[in-house]
Amino acid sequence: MNFPSKLIEDAVTEISRLPGIGKKTALRLALHLLKQNEAVTEALALSITRMREEIRYCKNCHTISDQELCSICQSHRRDHSIICVVEDIRDVLAIENTNQYTGLYHVLGGVISPIQGIGPEELKIESLLDRVSKGEVREIILALSATMEGDTTSFYLSKKLKESGVKVSTIARGIPVGGELEFTDEVTLGRSILTRINYSQE
Amino acid sequence: MNFPSKLIEDAVTEISRLPGIGKKTALRLALHLLKQNEAVTEALALSITRMREEIRYCKNCHTISDQELCSICQSHRRDHSIICVVEDIRDVLAIENTNQYTGLYHVLGGVISPIQGIGPEELKIESLLDRVSKGEVREIILALSATMEGDTTSFYLSKKLKESGVKVSTIARGIPVGGELEFTDEVTLGRSILTRINYSQE
């Protein structure tokens, strides 16, 4: 595209660097901003700059936080003896939205992926072991994606945590609530049979 | 969503004000920016602020420009006797990309739409008539959308331009190149028969 203005070209180039936004969408967004009040663009620019410059990570669980310790780690209402290990902060938000979990979190910052060059050293695994070694933790719930990388990471973590003697569990994989057997893929269905829940034991 | 950080919440709120971007996408974009170098966010913020504050509009054709007159209006290679009337700058870019047009443009800034409260006064119609009245213009090509609003605006403009004696044309409506008769809607097909092109006359 030949832009008649360097200013709009620059803005389109920068906006289109965002994931999932191409040149056409970027142009649409730029023209939208041009039509709005100047305050709208200013607020947007300021909020992303402030976020990038001032954001902090909880020194305990590595989730995004405005203070040294996040509100979850600070809360006395949460069960400090359970840690749910997740990949990133979106997973924290997703689990929080279920209102089913009252423990703490630990954000790894990714999963082990040799293809993307992410090894265990790149993840916050050492600090998880540190937290466990303090003795307060009773259970670790691994809540990683049901992908090759997620499973590899879960396996790695469960081996690392074995020595500590803490209970390690993983979230259930099976048929989604509302899902029909007929349309469930074989791997999921197979796993859901293997990891069946014993009613009589409960 | 309950965000653990006011900073990220503000950024998500501002990003989700953009058209077509919801809270989830906004969060994804915000987290993407957090993972990038600080310079990326700074460049993005600066480019949109500069664009919004410093952008100018060509005083002749109202397209976006860095100078008082846009590069198209300044060019001596363009045919200054033909003006193509379009809705907004995206249409200018689209027509420029065809490499089929060498005249000038006139950006209306919208189309007449009583539902959205846009009347002829809101559009750059007076300045179009001014340009025509200077006598240099030979033909006006109306290149507006083939919608109710676009057709209304075309009709309004053609009536307004009648007195000036200048030739007024509109871009052809018909079957898209590569399109099959069978799958063309009746209105388009009907129009394409009514406005058929006479081969023997050419």
Side-chain angles (χ1 to χ4, degrees):
Chain A
M1 271 192 262
N2 280 318
F3 291 101
S5 152
K6 184 90 180 57
L7 290 166
I8 204 156
E9 187 176 353
D10 284 351
V12 168
T13 309
E14 292 302 331
I15 297 172
S16 64
R17 278 190 221 283
L18 293 169
I21 293 182
K23 287 260 172 186
K24 275 208 171 177
T25 309
L27 178 62
R28 195 164 55 83
L29 297 178
L31 293 175
H32 169 84
L33 286 175
L34 280 180
K35 279 189 188 166
Q36 307 300 304
N37 205 302
E38 240 172 66
V40 174
T41 314
E42 239 166 65
L44 173 62
L46 187 71
S47 70
I48 58 171
T49 323
R50 276 199 60 196
M51 172 191 75
R52 185 64 190 84
E53 279 168 10
E54 295 174 24
I55 207 95
R56 292 209 257 169
Y57 295 89
C58 173
K59 66 169 187 174
N60 197 35
C61 72
H62 310 293
T63 193
I64 286 162
S65 168
D66 289 349
Q67 292 134 316
E68 213 168 292
L69 270 183
C70 73
S71 52
I72 295 173
C73 285
Q74 272 183 29
S75 170
H76 296 294
R77 290 207 205 140
R78 314 278 308 204
D79 185 345
H80 285 237
S81 68
I82 306 183
I83 295 177
C84 179
V85 177
V86 293
E87 189 178 332
D88 70 16
I89 194 215
R90 272 184 289 176
D91 304 326
V92 174
L93 294 173
I95 294 173
E96 282 299 286
N97 280 337
T98 66
N99 290 319
Q100 296 290 326
Y101 181 66
T102 55
L104 304 185
Y105 292 94
H106 190 88
V107 179
L108 287 181
V111 280
I112 297 171
S113 167
I115 295 170
Q116 289 179 50
I118 303 173
E121 312 77 38
E122 268 78 41
L123 307 177
K124 304 285 185 193
I125 292 176
E126 272 311 309
S127 75
L128 175 66
L129 300 176
D130 272 0
R131 285 177 77 182
V132 171
S133 70
K134 281 173 191 160
E136 217 194 330
V137 180
R138 197 166 38 86
E139 180 175 356
I140 299 280
I141 303 173
L142 302 173
L144 301 172
S145 299
T147 57
M148 182 87 90
E149 287 85 4
D151 285 345
T152 307
T153 313
S154 291
F155 182 70
Y156 182 88
L157 286 174
S158 64
K159 283 199 87 173
K160 278 271 174 188
L161 289 162
K162 212 166 193 179
E163 299 157 27
S164 68
V166 78
K167 182 179 164 191
V168 179
S169 61
T170 182
I171 52 168
R173 271 95 206 246
I175 302 162
V177 176
E180 289 180 45
L181 269 199
E182 192 183 351
F183 303 118
T184 308
D185 65 286
E186 295 94 353
V187 183
T188 303
L189 197 54
R191 269 216 204 188
S192 75
I193 292 169
L194 285 176
T195 60
R196 63 194 175 277
I197 298 152
N198 198 341
Y199 269 136
S200 54
Q201 220 175 37
E202 274 188 344
Chain B
M1 271 192 262
N2 281 318
F3 291 101
S5 152
K6 183 89 180 60
L7 290 166
I8 205 157
E9 187 176 353
D10 284 351
V12 168
T13 310
E14 293 301 329
I15 296 172
S16 64
R17 279 190 219 283
L18 293 170
I21 294 183
K23 287 260 170 185
K24 275 209 169 174
T25 310
L27 178 62
R28 195 163 53 83
L29 297 178
L31 293 175
H32 168 84
L33 286 175
L34 279 180
K35 278 188 189 166
Q36 307 301 306
N37 206 301
E38 241 174 66
V40 174
T41 315
E42 238 167 67
L44 173 62
L46 187 70
S47 70
I48 60 171
T49 324
R50 276 199 59 194
M51 173 190 74
R52 185 64 189 83
E53 279 167 11
E54 294 174 24
I55 206 97
R56 291 209 259 169
Y57 295 90
C58 173
K59 66 170 187 174
N60 196 35
C61 72
H62 310 291
T63 194
I64 285 162
S65 168
D66 290 349
Q67 292 134 316
E68 212 168 294
L69 270 183
C70 72
S71 52
I72 295 173
C73 285
Q74 272 182 30
S75 170
H76 295 295
R77 290 208 205 140
R78 315 279 307 205
D79 185 347
H80 285 237
S81 68
I82 307 182
I83 294 176
C84 180
V85 178
V86 293
E87 189 178 330
D88 70 16
I89 194 216
R90 271 182 291 175
D91 304 326
V92 174
L93 294 174
I95 295 174
E96 282 298 287
N97 280 337
T98 66
N99 289 320
Q100 296 289 325
Y101 181 66
T102 55
L104 303 186
Y105 291 95
H106 190 87
V107 179
L108 286 180
V111 281
I112 298 171
S113 167
I115 295 170
Q116 290 180 48
I118 303 174
E121 312 77 40
E122 268 78 41
L123 307 176
K124 304 283 185 196
I125 292 177
E126 271 312 308
S127 76
L128 175 65
L129 300 175
D130 272 0
R131 285 177 77 181
V132 171
S133 70
K134 281 173 190 159
E136 218 195 329
V137 180
R138 198 164 40 84
E139 180 174 355
I140 300 279
I141 303 173
L142 302 173
L144 302 172
S145 298
T147 57
M148 181 87 90
E149 288 84 4
D151 285 346
T152 307
T153 313
S154 291
F155 183 68
Y156 181 88
L157 286 175
S158 64
K159 283 198 88 175
K160 277 273 175 188
L161 289 163
K162 212 168 193 177
E163 299 157 26
S164 68
V166 78
K167 183 178 165 191
V168 179
S169 61
T170 183
I171 51 168
R173 271 95 207 246
I175 301 162
V177 176
E180 288 180 44
L181 269 199
E182 194 182 351
F183 303 118
T184 308
D185 64 288
E186 296 95 352
V187 182
T188 303
L189 198 54
R191 269 215 203 189
S192 75
I193 292 169
L194 286 175
T195 60
R196 63 193 175 276
I197 297 153
N198 197 341
Y199 269 137
S200 53
Q201 220 176 39
E202 272 188 344

